[in-house]
Amino acid sequence: QVRVVESGGGLVQAGGSLRLSCAASGTILSFTEMGWHRQAPGKERELVAGITSTATTFYGNSVKGRFTISRDNGKNTIYLQMNNLQPEDTAVYYCSIEYWSGTRRISWGQGTQVTVSS
């Protein structure tokens, strides 16, 4: 089915920035929503940011003002610009896409590791 692949994770010092990318490929008749969640060791997966087909964006409270989600309108690709990263942002970041392919479906990527050092 639809494959979701994240990239751009890595190691960065506190205060630094990273830009994550997420590309979805496969049979997607209609883009509905794409977004990012993250999960730190021993923690529940939490919402980071999302963007809808109408360009509405939303963010988790912990990243508001620091992270920005955007979409490439020419393809099913989104980005997460992460600024002023802090150690508490360390987590595996997962991308998801909600789409229409006969029925409404959701696919998840395998995640990309973001590590922020002091």
Side-chain angles (χ1 to χ4, degrees):
Q1 289 190 352
V2 171
R3 187 170 74 133
V4 179
V5 180
E6 305 97 336
S7 62
L11 175 65
V12 65
Q13 291 185 319
S17 299
L18 284 173
R19 189 189 191 211
L20 305 184
S21 299
C22 172
S25 61
T27 303
I28 303 172
L29 299 182
S30 180
F31 170 87
T32 302
E33 179 180 297
M34 293 184 73
W36 295 92
H37 289 73
R38 68 185 182 186
Q39 187 167 25
K43 303 291 185 180
E44 295 291 322
R45 186 172 297 190
E46 65 173 335
L47 170 71
V48 176
I51 186 167
T52 72
S53 60
T54 58
T56 298
T57 59
F58 50 93
Y59 298 89
N61 289 333
S62 63
V63 306
K64 288 180 179 178
R66 299 188 298 121
F67 292 9
T68 302
I69 188 170
S70 61
R71 177 191 175 193
D72 185 332
N73 292 328
K75 53 187 176 181
N76 293 316
T77 301
I78 61 168
Y79 308 92
L80 184 69
Q81 179 66 46
M82 304 185 294
N83 296 327
N84 193 24
L85 284 161
Q86 300 299 312
E88 52 265 37
D89 295 315
T90 295
V92 177
Y93 284 69
Y94 297 92
C95 179
S96 65
I97 178 172
E98 181 180 288
Y99 60 98
W100 183 259
S101 186
T103 58
R104 180 172 290 184
R105 302 179 181 182
I106 300 175
S107 293
W108 290 83
Q110 294 301 306
T112 185
Q113 177 71 47
V114 172
T115 302
V116 185
S117 62
S118 300

